[in-house]
Structures are given as C-alpha cells and as structure tokens.
Amino acid sequence: MTDFDPTRRDVLKTSGVAALGLGGGTGLLSTLETVDTGDGGDAVASFVGEDRVVKSACSPNCRGKCPLDVYIRDGQVKKVEQQVPAATEFKRGCTLGMSHLQRVYSDDRLKYPLKRASWSPDDPQPGARGEDAEFERISWEDAFDLVAEKIQQTKSEYGKESILWHSGSGDGGTTGYGRLTQLVGGIRDSFVFGIDTNVGQGFNRITGEGGVFMPPTNTADDWVNAETIIIWGSDIFASQFQMDAEWVLDAKRNGAKLVVVDPVYTNTAEKADLWLPIRPGKDTHLALAMMHYVLENEVYDAEFLRSRTNAPALVRTDDGTLLDPSRISEDPPEGSVVVMNEETGEPEVVQAETGGPFALFGEWTVDGTTVTTGLAQLREQAADYPPEEVADVAGLTQDDIETAAEWLATRGSGGIMPSYGVGRYLYGHVFGQAYATLLALTGDYGRHGNIHAQHPSYNGSYLHTGDWGSPEGAEGTEYHGYRKLLGMLEDGDPVQPRVMYGMNSNMLGNQFPDRDRWLAAMENLDMIVWADMYHTPTTQQADIILPAAHWFETEDILTTYTHPNISYREQAHEPLWEAKDDYYIMAGLAERLGHGDKFPDDKHDVLDRFVQNDDRLTWEQLREQGTVATDETPTVAYTDAFGTESGRITVYDDDAPAEEGPGLPDDGVSLEVPKPLEARTADDWEGADEYPLVFMQKHSKWRIHSQWANVPWLREINTEPQLDIHPQDAQQRGIDDGDYVRVHNDRGSVVVQAKYNEGIRPGLVNTDQGWWAEDFVDGHYQDPISAETAKVGRTFAFYDCRVEVERADEQYQSNQYTEDNPRGAEGTAGGD
C-alpha cells in the first residue's frame, strides 16, 4: 500500500537530494540529506542551486488564505515563505503555513483509491466499519464506477433525498462540489444552524445585519482608531495571530485600552489592560451588568439611541407590543415607529435615521392605552443585574465590571470583538443579542474605531463565477442543519439518507459532538465515500476512500473575507502517487453520472471563465503578482439604515422568539430583551454535583481544527493532548501534574494527561480541540459532549458540557508517546 508509483519519479528528481520516506516508513521526503550525484559534481552545490518560486496560497479554515511563495528545486518543494501581496499591509503567514513541506511529503498522505475489504454494493456490512476495518487498493476507474453506480441505484430506488453530500471547511478552492451536487440532487448538510452560528444569529436578529456567523465590522486598518477594545471569549493572539491580532496591537500602541473577557489566562489576556476571568456561561450576565452601569450612570449615547435604534419606540404595557403607527397616522410609512416628542408632549411617527427630542424613558397614555419606551423595558431588565451582584455570579469584581463599562462608554469609539467560542453554549445566541444591544447603548456603530467581530469582512474579495454554482438542468439540493441531519440518519425522519459523500472534513475527528452517536447513526448508510489528503479518523469509517491532492499540487484562485486580496495558486508539481485535485474527482464522477459535459476536461478552463467574467482580474496580474487587491469594502460599517424592519437596531424586540430547552420553563423564555439563559453551566444544573467541572475545548495555535495535527515539526512543540486543570481542582482529586486522567460523564470519556494550569479558572478544564482519536490514550474529547441543540439556537454547544475528572487506572499511566511520537524531520505523523 505504500509503494511509490515509478511513473511519478520525474516529479521528484533527486539529483542532489535523497527522496526518503515516500514509500517506506521514514515518513517524510527529506530535504536535508544529500547524495552523490554520480557525475562527479558537488552534492552540496547541487543542493543550493537555483530555485523556481511559484505563487501559492494556504486555504484552511483559519480564514486567512495567506498568500505564500513556494520554492521549488529539483522538482520538489524546498521552502515556504510569506508572499508580499498586492495589498501589502496584509502580508501574513504562520508556523503552520511554513510547515507545508511536511504536509506535502508526509507518509500519511492517502496514495491510492481504497475500498473497505468487507464492503460491496450489494452487501455493505456497515457494522464492519471502524478502527479495525481493512482496506484494499483499487483503481480510479473502479472507484468512480463503484461510487457512481451506487449513487444511481440508490437514487433510482429511494429518490434523490437518499443521497447525502457533506463538505466541511478544510479547503477554500474551486472543487466543483457545489456544481455536481446541484446536478445530481440530494440533501446537503449546512454549517448554518450547526456549528458556531449562535453569536451571529443573536446579533443579526436585532440589527438585521450579517448572517449567522460573525457580523460585519469596520475594516481592520480602522481598528487603530478604537479607544477601547473588548475581546470577548477569543484568544485572538493564538487562533488568529497571523491575521487580525496585529491590528489590535496597533490600537494599543495608539492608546487604546484592551479588555479581555475569558475564563483562561491566554496569550491574548496577557496583553490586556484589564482581564475579566469570567465563569463559563455567565457572559450575558456580564453584558447586562455593563448595561446597568451605562444606564444608571447615564453614559449612554442618547442621540444615537433616538435616531438609530427603537429605544424611543412606544411599547404597550398591556401586551408588550410596539404601539401601532396607524393609531397615530392614517397612512404611516412602512417600518415606522411611534415615539413621544418631549417638546410637544405628543406622539409622532418616525422613520429610520431620524432623530429629534424623543423621550427615552417615561410612561404615557395614548388613546386610552398606557405606553412606555423600548429603552425603559431594557432598563427594567438590566436593573436586575447590578455589577455588585453579577460580580458574585460571574466570579469577577464589581470594580472590574464597572471599569470595563466606563471605558467602553466614555473613552470614545470602541467595540466588542467576540469569537465563535463565546457562543458555544446552548443558548449562546442571547449573548449575540446582548453585546449588540450594549454597543447600541454606547453608540458604537457607524464611526471610525468601531469593532463588532474578531475578524473583518472584505466583500470585494469574491470571484464573479457567473452560473457555475447554478448549472442549467440542475435538480437542486435541500439543506439541513447538523442536528436535524443526525436525526435523519438515526430514524429516517423525514427521509433516510443511504449514501454519503464527504470531503474537506474530518467530522468524526473534530467538531461533531457525541461521536458514538454519529458512528451508530452512520451504520444506516449503505455507502460512505470520503476524499481527503490523509487517512483520518473519518476516512477510517468510509467504504471508499479517495486520495485528494495537496493544495500545492493544484491550480486555483482563492478568495477570503478577512483581507482584500484575491490569490492565484500556481501548481508546484503534479499530485504525488495517484492523488487527484478534488475538481478532477468531481469531474470523474460527473462523467459517470451523466454530467460530464458540465465539467471541462481542464480545470484551468473553469478558472479562465472566472477571470474573463471579472473586470478586476487578468491572468498577467495573477501570474506575475500572485494576488490582486480589491477595495470594495467601506472602511466604516453600519453607516446606513439597519437591515431590520424599522431600519433601526431593535433594543426591544416585540416579535422575539421564545427559546426552549434544558433548564428552561416548559413554555420557554421570550427574548424581547437579553435574558441570561443557561443549561449545564448553571449552578443549579441537576447534574452539577455528580459532574462539577465545565469542559471546554479551545482552539490551538498548532492546528486549524484537526488539520496539521500530524505534522512532525509541530508535534515537536505540541507533543500530545493535555487537560488544563487548576492545581486546586487537581489536588482535591489526588491528581499530580502529568498524571493521566479520565475525563468523563454519563455520555462518554477520554483519557488524557493532566497539566497543571494556574491560569484557568477553578471549576473549568480544557483540552485543545483538533487532536485525532489515535492521539488519545483512550476515548475522544467529543465523546462526553452532547449533540443537543436549542430550539432557537440550533447550534452545537461544545462548551455546555459538565464532567468529572479522576486519575486514570494504572494501565494508562505509562506514556504512550515515549515511542513512535511524530517528531522532527524523520517522524511519522498521525494516520495509519
């Protein structure tokens, strides 16, 4: 299974460098060992010969899409460097991007198409999948035929809804995946209402802006104008240090105050002027306490509230709805609200972006109906969360809460920079509503120096692809969130998927909670097909495995929303072994599924179609510069009417949804204003005594999700999974630093090495996400996490997890990493 295809030796000419590990067990094509060239020449001189530099780009889900220069010598990648892009201030790159050499030439690369030995189309034996499954090499022709025939048979017998397509965020290039799925039809899973969509949902609901992920914000170069930055639940100097952290440092150098809200003393917290080590799940409590301070001390932006929010809108006290404008005007403009004019003492109807002497507080009778204001309703809610009381609940001090609120409200333009992590609780969308409301109180929209997300959104850096994603004659697909998909796999409601094609994803090795439940549900699939660069925990569960090319082995044009550069990726060399660009995998399947005419034989023709369709691009620019800068994004966001029905920020939502779920009343909780909702992080959670510790899985600087987990250079530094635990919690349980411990609840467990960390709050433990199953002594960090979602949020709640930790049995106390640890240039990394 590891023999090197001799027909590819011309790609790896080794006149001055030995090709090691491509077919054996050394694990890496060494670029360090020289050999005799056989012609009397100097091997060292050969090694330091001329380079060919190709323009390329990284494309994992860090969203950076960093342009890179790839140095080629003797047909091999020798070095990777940051590229200076067209928008030069966005020169960036990280340790991970510099380590691609070990990803390209890793012995863990999938080399050939594989079929599970016990699988056949007529006898799939799904119970034989798993860690012990064995695979046999097949040809690409056989692989394409098996997959296409099974898709056609299943579609004919059970309908197109029986075909499930899954693509994660592991690549950002042109693959043809969306085109093929539209042509074939079926169902597709979606990140929307699945992973990390809580904060964006809450923000969007009251501003009408953004989608379900992070909302729009000022461009990064404007952050230097911020006077106060609150980084809330984000370790940006670890997870986005190569992208956005530098702009925060620029703001600090310019005099900004930096506040970090995080239960862990992180790289980011170390740079803060004020660190708020909040207890997990108490974020909305804190936001309301800050609102309390702003309102009680009257440091809110009254003019902004009057002109750009519904704070002055009149609210009926009998039913909580906004007063109908038709009660005041015979023909009120659409989206208008009723306010009370303090000068005239009369109600009037106003539209968006309209200010005036409008009352923000008070109570009146209008045509026999008692009314108050939206802001009065918010103040009434915030009154229940004074800083001195929230300090006890959230594990903070009153002075620190008030200082953070004072800085945000009085120092000038500023903002809040939340992450996806702060929404990884069951009801995390309420925080999105809360921080958007807090920024409305301080008037931090539409000004230089305002910040609303941990990364900016550059709208112009998208390709003009025409109808590529919506081909003529397409059958179309239906989208379903992950939680709904899990139910469909388990019980067939409303349809039963029977075939699954996956790519760009290590779903069973990273971000799909309650892993055993997913594994059991997937036994209802007759065929699982997976394309990947490496043999991962997810490909191990497949029936057909397809080897995908490394990014450097493909040609592509890449876009991102975190910087304004469109990047060209020139192919460094042909794919190794029998790996294929995902585009050509899709094209091969398309041909057998009757859609071959929709996929040009040469991917370059597709890219050329995009370039010709886009006046901003030329091939000359892309090839010579590597990038083309776009400048279509306004520096300052939110300068126009908001996307809500009224065109104003909804600080009081009379059409609010009612959230339902664990820990809440049976009839739910209506969210006209932010209300702290908690499930397992609540102090009175029914299982808190048995499982007293909250379990978090934060991002690591050494991986992008589960990518790079098998890179030897990085494993030199980050050798194995660890459980961050406060010494106080550990010693109470008889756990020494370095002991292997069992982290468990009634759902599952994982065995991992304990690491004393005085920078983590007592009551909280953490294992960084992204480790593969084989990296753990036993179990997996997703095993104890519930796949449950809330009615409104519909998002996996990775941090809404309680566990107990105990010293593992003696059989686990011998370090499994003493031998065969993937390290350095000669190590074998991850995989089988």
Side-chain angles (χ1 to χ4, degrees):
M1 304 291 285
T2 57
D3 294 335
F4 183 63
D5 182 352
T7 64
R8 298 297 177 92
R9 288 192 184 277
D10 59 326
V11 178
L12 298 165
K13 293 180 292 183
T14 59
S15 60
V17 181
L20 302 177
L22 285 175
T26 56
L28 179 70
L29 179 65
S30 173
T31 62
L32 303 176
E33 183 174 342
T34 59
V35 297
D36 187 350
T37 61
D39 58 3
D42 186 338
V44 174
S46 176
F47 178 75
V48 295
E50 293 296 320
D51 286 324
R52 178 172 68 94
V53 182
V54 303
K55 302 297 184 182
S56 191
C58 204
S59 58
N61 187 26
C62 66
R63 298 173 298 276
K65 304 296 187 292
C66 300
L68 301 173
D69 283 337
V70 179
Y71 289 74
I72 310 297
R73 190 181 303 154
D74 295 331
Q76 299 173 20
V77 175
K78 296 296 183 181
K79 183 176 68 172
V80 181
E81 284 187 347
Q82 297 167 322
Q83 182 189 131
V84 179
T88 58
E89 67 270 30
F90 291 90
K91 179 183 178 182
R92 52 179 54 163
C94 71
T95 310
L96 280 64
M98 302 303 105
S99 70
H100 269 298
L101 183 143
Q102 290 199 322
R103 283 172 57 78
V104 177
Y105 303 122
S106 170
D107 192 40
D108 291 327
R109 286 279 303 272
L110 288 167
K111 301 171 179 64
Y112 316 104
L114 302 172
K115 182 182 80 71
R116 176 164 59 89
S118 56
W119 180 86
S120 69
D122 299 325
D123 184 19
Q125 298 186 52
R129 297 184 188 120
E131 295 180 3
D132 297 328
E134 296 183 355
F135 296 85
E136 58 190 24
R137 179 179 174 179
I138 58 175
S139 68
W140 271 108
E141 293 298 309
D142 287 345
F144 284 143
D145 288 343
L146 285 168
V147 174
E149 289 170 8
K150 188 63 177 177
I151 288 175
Q152 290 173 320
Q153 174 206 335
T154 303
K155 186 177 172 183
S156 175
E157 186 171 351
Y158 300 103
K160 67 179 184 179
E161 296 81 8
S162 61
I163 311 301
L164 167 61
W165 303 93
H166 167 80
S167 180
S169 56
D171 188 13
T174 301
T175 64
Y177 168 82
R179 187 173 179 84
L180 182 62
T181 60
Q182 290 294 319
L183 289 165
V184 176
I187 57 178
R188 287 174 62 174
D189 54 16
S190 171
F191 286 108
V192 178
F193 310 126
I195 295 178
D196 290 344
T197 56
N198 257 335
V199 176
Q201 283 187 75
F203 188 99
N204 171 268
R205 180 165 68 81
I206 71 162
T207 64
E209 301 292 338
V212 295
F213 295 106
M214 286 292 110
T217 188
N218 291 15
T219 55
D221 57 305
D222 184 65
W223 294 359
V224 69
N225 296 308
E227 299 293 344
T228 302
I229 300 175
I230 301 179
I231 299 179
W232 206 313
S234 171
D235 189 7
I236 191 172
F237 287 94
S239 63
Q240 288 182 246
F241 63 94
Q242 80 282 21
M243 294 189 288
D244 305 318
E246 62 179 293
W247 307 104
V248 176
L249 291 178
D250 285 344
K252 269 187 66 70
R253 296 184 190 105
N254 200 41
K257 293 291 188 183
L258 178 61
V259 180
V260 173
V261 183
D262 200 306
V264 183
Y265 189 69
T266 61
N267 294 144
T268 306
E270 185 272 332
K271 294 170 178 62
D273 297 289
L274 178 63
W275 173 43
L276 301 181
I278 192 170
R279 293 180 61 206
K282 313 302 181 190
D283 301 284
T284 302
H285 295 78
L286 174 58
L288 280 164
M290 294 173 70
M291 292 184 218
H292 181 284
Y293 180 88
V294 170
L295 290 165
E296 289 302 307
N297 290 276
E298 299 185 359
V299 288
Y300 49 82
D301 187 332
E303 179 56 33
F304 181 88
L305 290 169
R306 290 185 175 108
S307 62
R308 305 203 67 199
T309 81
N310 74 347
L314 299 185
V315 180
R316 298 174 55 136
T317 59
D318 57 352
D319 62 10
T321 62
L322 296 183
L323 188 66
D324 189 341
S326 65
R327 297 275 299 272
I328 307 301
S329 170
E330 290 185 2
D331 187 23
E334 185 176 352
S336 58
V337 297
V338 182
V339 300
M340 183 61 68
N341 189 311
E342 289 186 303
E343 292 183 354
T344 66
E346 297 293 330
E348 63 180 81
V349 176
V350 298
Q351 295 178 273
E353 302 293 315
T354 303
F358 309 144
L360 293 175
F361 302 101
E363 188 171 286
W364 308 268
T365 299
V366 177
D367 194 22
T369 300
T370 303
V371 295
T372 183
T373 67
L375 189 60
Q377 296 289 87
L378 177 64
R379 183 173 66 175
E380 181 179 343
Q381 170 71 358
D384 292 335
Y385 298 91
E388 63 270 21
E389 294 183 13
V390 170
D392 291 337
V393 172
L396 304 172
T397 69
Q398 177 182 347
D399 182 63
D400 284 350
I401 295 173
E402 293 179 346
T403 297
E406 176 77 15
W407 286 352
L408 182 65
T410 66
R411 297 190 78 249
S413 293
I416 295 174
M417 185 183 290
S419 76
Y420 299 105
V422 75
R424 290 185 164 191
Y425 302 99
L426 207 57
Y427 310 120
H429 61 91
V430 183
F431 173 77
Q433 176 188 8
Y435 96 90
T437 302
L438 175 56
L439 289 177
L441 291 181
T442 59
D444 281 309
Y445 292 85
R447 299 188 293 173
H448 284 287
N450 287 160
I451 303 175
H452 309 89
Q454 69 167 355
H455 53 71
S457 299
Y458 289 89
N459 301 323
S461 59
Y462 286 95
L463 291 175
H464 298 166
T465 59
D467 63 353
W468 176 251
S470 302
E472 183 178 351
E475 294 196 35
T477 56
E478 294 182 5
Y479 288 84
H480 297 283
Y482 290 133
R483 176 62 185 87
K484 185 175 181 180
L485 173 63
L486 178 56
M488 291 164 62
L489 287 169
E490 289 178 320
D491 54 33
D493 183 20
V495 297
Q496 178 64 65
R498 297 181 180 274
V499 167
M500 181 176 186
Y501 184 97
M503 60 185 286
N504 294 335
S505 170
N506 184 15
M507 58 176 277
L508 296 174
N510 189 38
Q511 283 194 304
F512 277 54
D514 206 346
R515 193 177 57 125
D516 287 341
R517 203 174 151 196
W518 283 95
L519 290 170
M522 291 171 73
E523 289 193 14
N524 291 321
L525 293 164
D526 295 331
M527 180 177 73
I528 300 174
V529 184
W530 220 269
D532 205 304
M533 296 183 203
Y534 307 98
H535 188 54
T536 69
T538 303
T539 63
Q540 180 62 28
Q541 301 294 330
D543 304 308
I544 304 290
I545 303 175
L546 305 177
H550 183 276
W551 303 324
F552 291 176
E553 299 166 344
T554 69
E555 182 188 24
D556 223 320
I557 300 175
L558 300 173
T559 65
T560 183
Y561 53 88
T562 61
H563 62 75
N565 291 298
I566 295 176
S567 301
Y568 176 58
R569 177 189 287 153
E570 180 184 352
Q571 187 182 44
H573 59 58
E574 288 293 321
L576 299 181
W577 299 283
E578 293 183 9
K580 287 183 181 291
D581 184 326
D582 277 308
Y583 171 84
Y584 293 111
I585 298 177
M586 294 289 101
L589 288 174
E591 181 180 2
R592 287 157 177 79
L593 291 168
H595 303 291
D597 61 325
K598 300 293 197 301
F599 285 77
D601 292 338
D602 190 342
K603 179 182 177 181
H604 181 80
D605 293 341
V606 178
L607 302 179
D608 183 62
R609 176 175 170 178
F610 299 162
V611 171
Q612 301 307 324
N613 197 42
D614 196 328
D615 292 339
R616 302 168 302 171
L617 304 179
T618 67
W619 280 113
E620 181 179 10
Q621 286 176 301
L622 291 170
R623 287 174 174 140
E624 290 186 6
Q625 300 174 189
T627 58
V628 173
T630 63
D631 56 0
E632 302 170 24
T633 305
T635 300
V636 179
Y638 309 112
T639 57
D640 299 321
F642 289 91
T644 58
E645 183 179 353
S646 69
R648 296 166 173 262
I649 295 176
T650 308
V651 299
Y652 176 82
D653 185 3
D654 69 333
D655 191 32
E659 183 61 287
E660 299 176 9
L664 304 183
D666 292 341
D667 57 352
V669 177
S670 187
L671 295 167
E672 291 83 5
V673 292
K675 299 173 184 176
L677 305 181
E678 289 187 85
R680 293 172 183 83
T681 58
D683 295 337
D684 59 355
W685 179 255
E686 59 185 1
D689 290 339
E690 186 175 4
Y691 302 112
L693 303 173
V694 174
F695 179 43
M696 183 182 290
Q697 320 87 43
K698 68 186 292 290
H699 281 259
S700 167
K701 70 176 69 175
W702 308 116
R703 290 177 298 283
I704 304 299
H705 298 302
S706 67
Q707 291 177 308
W708 278 269
N710 58 347
V711 173
W713 284 334
L714 302 176
R715 291 293 287 268
E716 280 277 335
I717 304 164
N718 193 216
T719 57
E720 64 176 293
Q722 294 178 325
L723 183 79
D724 293 305
I725 185 170
H726 194 279
Q728 173 183 312
D729 287 331
Q731 290 161 10
Q732 288 174 354
R733 292 162 173 79
I735 296 169
D736 291 330
D737 191 19
D739 281 351
Y740 282 83
V741 295
R742 179 172 171 260
V743 183
H744 66 95
N745 59 22
D746 55 357
R747 187 170 294 103
S749 66
V750 61
V751 175
V752 63
Q753 188 180 52
K755 173 65 175 177
Y756 280 11
N757 185 348
E758 294 183 356
I760 193 169
R761 282 199 66 96
L764 172 67
V765 292
N766 171 77
T767 289
D768 288 350
Q769 67 142 284
W771 293 102
W772 294 8
E774 65 201 48
D775 294 318
F776 293 100
V777 179
D778 189 50
H780 190 274
Y781 67 90
Q782 290 288 4
D783 292 348
I785 303 170
S786 173
E788 171 179 49
T789 63
K791 176 185 175 183
V792 175
R794 293 176 284 179
T795 302
F796 288 145
F798 301 99
Y799 295 174
D800 223 318
C801 179
R802 280 188 176 271
V803 297
E804 181 56 285
V805 177
E806 61 188 14
R807 191 175 188 275
D809 293 342
E810 287 301 322
Q811 63 177 317
Y812 295 120
Q813 297 305 323
S814 60
N815 189 342
Q816 75 167 28
Y817 292 91
T818 301
E819 298 178 358
D820 299 325
N821 186 22
R823 296 182 179 182
E826 301 296 330
T828 300
D832 287 350

